[in-house]
Amino acid sequence: TMVNRILTLALMLSVVICCIFVFTEDPPELEQTGPLPILMYHDVTDGPTSDNPMVVTTEKLEGDLCWLKENGYHTIVPRELTAGEPLPEKPVMITFDDGYVSNYRLLFPLLQKYQMKAAICLIVSLTDEDPEGHGHLTWDMCREMQASGLVEIGSHTYALHNLEQNGDYFAKGVNGIQRKTGESSWQFQMRVLTDLKKSRDILQRELGTAPELFAYPYGETEPDAEAYLRRLFPMTVITGKGEIGTLEGRYHLPRISVCQETQLGDRLL
């Protein structure tokens, strides 16, 4: 019967969640201290300036990479931080959200040119549903970039990104992984926790390694998902308000949103 099926699914999900809590090891403690600026980009264009402030031109992006180098910054990726490895002086992390195909066509050549690193957090369903790479990265693109050692792939959920509204933020509604008003624990698990695990499992299947980084959609956190997220991902980032994170933390690290008009010198010096 339908009731039995629902109860079976609930039991299976509960077992999966329990296994994650029991068998996932805690990441190593971090010993280094100091600031860790994390920059947040999205899309890139090789054309004129876009009307969308979240889209930066290749000229702007290359200028930012050069500025970081000239001012003594060294790019790192999440795995270096979570592994507790010794980090270079003045570390900085460059992140890109959503997984646009421009990250391969325009960002990746610049990373190769300057031998700099970046992390890209995918809305995994968009890569799954765009095998030709018309708007978003393909798995082959992700594998090539990851194999270079210059790019690390993280999660931005499987599909919890208001995709039914073109990804727009709901000013007075529920965004990303937030729990809906009146949503039962079972409904929340099925809608949110299942999505988070699905994104992690697919990334691990396609790329051969479990992702280290999770970027909260819209920077919105959710207390009811926090413990589960920390077992799935050793590092999480949010959308900050200009503040700079530190090497002591691994969760809710703030990021500096970079738009076309953003001057890094005003944010980092």
Side-chain angles (χ1 to χ4, degrees), residues 41-63 96 100-110 135 258-261:
Y41 296 83
H42 288 78
D43 205 356
V44 189
T45 179
D46 57 359
T49 303
S50 171
D51 292 334
N52 184 343
M54 292 290 100
V55 180
V56 301
T57 63
T58 51
E59 181 180 12
K60 157 68 175 170
L61 179 57
E62 185 166 15
F96 278 75
Y100 295 104
V101 71
S102 66
N103 296 175
Y104 175 79
R105 294 177 177 164
L106 301 176
L107 165 66
F108 187 41
L110 289 176
V258 181
C259 303
Q260 181 64 25
E261 303 304 320

Side-chain angles (χ1 to χ4, degrees), residues 122 124 127-128 138-140 142-144 146 153 198-211:
L122 307 183
V124 176
T127 289
D128 250 1
T138 67
W139 290 118
D140 282 343
C142 292
R143 283 187 280 266
E144 180 184 343
Q146 181 175 271
I153 305 296
K198 185 176 183 179
S199 77
R200 178 182 181 269
D201 289 350
I202 291 176
L203 286 167
Q204 184 167 15
R205 182 192 72 203
E206 295 291 341
L207 303 178
T209 183

Side-chain angles (χ1 to χ4, degrees), residues 183-237:
E183 190 171 40
S184 69
S185 295
W186 159 247
Q187 290 170 328
F188 179 72
Q189 286 181 1
M190 289 302 295
R191 184 178 65 86
V192 174
L193 303 190
T194 300
D195 177 287
L196 298 176
K197 185 174 185 302
K198 185 176 183 179
S199 77
R200 178 182 181 269
D201 289 350
I202 291 176
L203 286 167
Q204 184 167 15
R205 182 192 72 203
E206 295 291 341
L207 303 178
T209 183
E212 299 285 308
L213 179 64
F214 177 79
Y216 285 90
Y218 313 102
E220 299 287 359
T221 61
E222 170 51 59
D224 291 338
E226 192 60 32
Y228 189 67
L229 265 172
R230 292 190 180 204
R231 287 298 180 180
L232 287 176
F233 303 98
M235 177 180 173
T236 64
V237 291

Side-chain angles (χ1 to χ4, degrees), residues 150-167:
L150 301 177
V151 174
E152 188 173 312
I153 305 296
S155 170
H156 204 28
T157 74
Y158 182 78
L160 292 176
H161 216 281
N162 300 355
L163 298 180
E164 69 279 5
Q165 295 292 331
N166 296 318

Side-chain angles (χ1 to χ4, degrees), residues 22 31 38 49 68 73 92 121 129 168 176 180 182 199:
V22 171
E31 297 181 358
I38 305 177
T49 303
L68 290 171
Y73 286 94
V92 63
C121 291
E129 296 165 5
D168 293 337
K180 296 179 179 179
S199 77

